[in-house]
Amino acid sequence: MTHVLLATDSDSVYNAVDAALGSDASEVSRVRAGVEVLDAVREQEPDVVICDLQIGNMGGMATCLDLRMEAEMGRAPETRVLMLLDREADVYLAKQAQSDGWLVKPLDAVSVQRAVAAVLG
């Protein structure tokens, strides 16, 4: 079973990702703030973290960089990260954050499934 950790404070983003990925083959859990992601990764060890670019108090870029730095220091497991972007211009931010992949909103089920498969592949 694939475990997906979704970091978003948007109910519509959660609903779209859960509808696309929620099945017998995968489980979607959620945190609502970037500062919660590191602890959730340490506790749950998800296969992939999906990070919304705009999440309260610690955005997706900072969250991704935090995961990368903590993993490099051996204080967190290596984790694949897929960023959800607001516009094409944000691809630069995803690359700077060392994200494994990205998807520009609005989301559709097929795009979410393909992006997660590519990040995990």
Side-chain angles (χ1 to χ4, degrees):
M1 176 175 282
T2 301
H3 180 203
V4 177
L5 175 64
L6 175 62
T8 185
D9 54 4
S10 168
D11 290 337
S12 63
V13 168
Y14 171 75
N15 291 337
V17 171
D18 189 49
L21 300 177
S23 70
D24 292 339
S26 62
E27 171 190 10
V28 178
S29 59
R30 177 185 185 184
V31 294
R32 293 180 176 267
V35 297
E36 298 172 356
V37 172
L38 183 58
D39 286 339
V41 165
R42 287 176 176 148
E43 291 170 15
Q44 301 173 20
E45 295 191 22
D47 298 298
V48 62
V49 174
I50 300 177
C51 241
D52 200 352
L53 183 63
Q54 301 295 326
I55 48 179
N57 76 7
M58 184 177 183
M61 183 174 177
T63 299
C64 186
L65 286 169
D66 187 46
L67 287 173
R68 297 297 184 235
M69 287 186 284
E70 291 297 310
E72 285 177 17
M73 297 301 293
R75 297 185 296 231
E78 293 281 336
T79 307
R80 302 301 226 165
V81 178
L82 173 69
M83 289 185 67
L84 302 179
L85 308 176
D86 297 322
R87 56 200 176 117
E88 284 293 329
D90 295 331
V91 169
Y92 173 80
L93 297 176
K95 290 178 181 178
Q96 293 303 307
Q98 302 171 12
S99 177
D100 296 296
W102 50 84
L103 192 57
V104 179
K105 296 181 258 181
L107 304 176
D108 66 80
V110 173
S111 295
V112 171
Q113 292 166 356
R114 284 182 181 163
V116 169
V119 164
L120 291 175

